[in-house]
Amino acid sequence: MGDAGSVSGDASRIPPPDISQMSPEERATRLYNRVMTLHSQGKADSAGFFLPMALQAYAMLPALDVDARYHIGVLDLTGGDETGALAQADSIKRAVPTHLFAFMLRARALELRGDAAGARRAYGDFLGHETAERARKRPEYADHQSNLDSFHEQATGAARKSVRGR
């Protein structure tokens, strides 16, 4: 669900960085990467420990761009907060109506909520806007290339299921 970033190895044994020397954005990104790495390693307790810190770091930012809102939404999903993730998806959509991150967050949140029809619509919206959006070469798309590629596979799988189910 999230990017591991540049963190490698056993994240629970990595000494915490000196965050006093980092910008607020760097602190938030580092905590996001730590949560996502721990989550992807199946270390739910450790990810859960850092999750509130990551969300607080984002809450302290003076402004939130689309990428930061995506990170918050992914963190919300990691913590089981589909309502928070939907709020971030809506904020992204208001800022950039065809941004792929909005559709990604919406699909995941609706799946978590048990709204299969809504999730299928979000997958379809993603696929409908994907070619044009990727052509825009937004920097955040490059940063989350593997997430976009993985989500594309899931969206096309959901579209195939939807067609077969009719």
Side-chain angles (χ1 to χ4, degrees):
M1 198 172 301
D3 292 67
S6 61
V7 179
S8 62
D10 187 350
S12 63
R13 294 185 190 169
I14 297 171
D18 179 7
I19 63 172
S20 67
Q21 302 302 313
M22 293 181 192
S23 72
E25 292 81 6
E26 289 172 314
R27 281 193 293 271
T29 300
R30 278 289 188 101
L31 285 164
Y32 168 81
N33 286 339
R34 181 166 277 236
V35 170
M36 293 299 100
T37 298
L38 291 166
H39 180 74
S40 71
Q41 293 173 343
K43 298 176 180 175
D45 289 347
S46 296
F49 176 80
F50 287 103
L51 181 63
M53 287 183 253
L55 288 168
Q56 183 179 19
Y58 280 101
M60 294 170 51
L61 294 179
L64 296 174
D65 62 10
V66 168
D67 193 48
R69 289 194 177 282
Y70 174 68
H71 287 188
I72 294 167
V74 171
L75 290 167
D76 287 337
L77 290 170
T78 301
D81 180 5
E82 76 272 4
T83 302
L86 285 170
Q88 294 306 319
D90 290 344
S91 294
I92 292 168
K93 187 170 175 120
R94 275 192 302 279
V96 184
T98 59
H99 203 289
L100 298 177
F101 289 174
F103 306 123
M104 292 168 68
L105 289 174
R106 179 165 296 287
R108 295 277 189 253
L110 292 173
E111 284 176 335
L112 195 59
R113 187 172 273 179
D115 181 352
R120 278 192 305 275
R121 281 191 301 276
Y123 279 124
D125 290 340
F126 175 91
L127 292 171
H129 294 286
E130 183 181 20
T131 301
E133 273 298 304
R134 285 200 184 215
R136 288 185 170 86
K137 300 199 182 298
R138 299 180 193 276
E140 62 270 24
Y141 290 166
D143 292 344
H144 295 283
Q145 180 74 43
S146 63
N147 283 15
L148 286 162
D149 293 344
S150 175
F151 192 86
H152 169 85
E153 292 303 317
Q154 292 165 355
T156 54
R160 281 193 298 271
K161 266 191 207 175
S162 181
V163 169
R164 281 194 307 256
R166 288 185 185 172

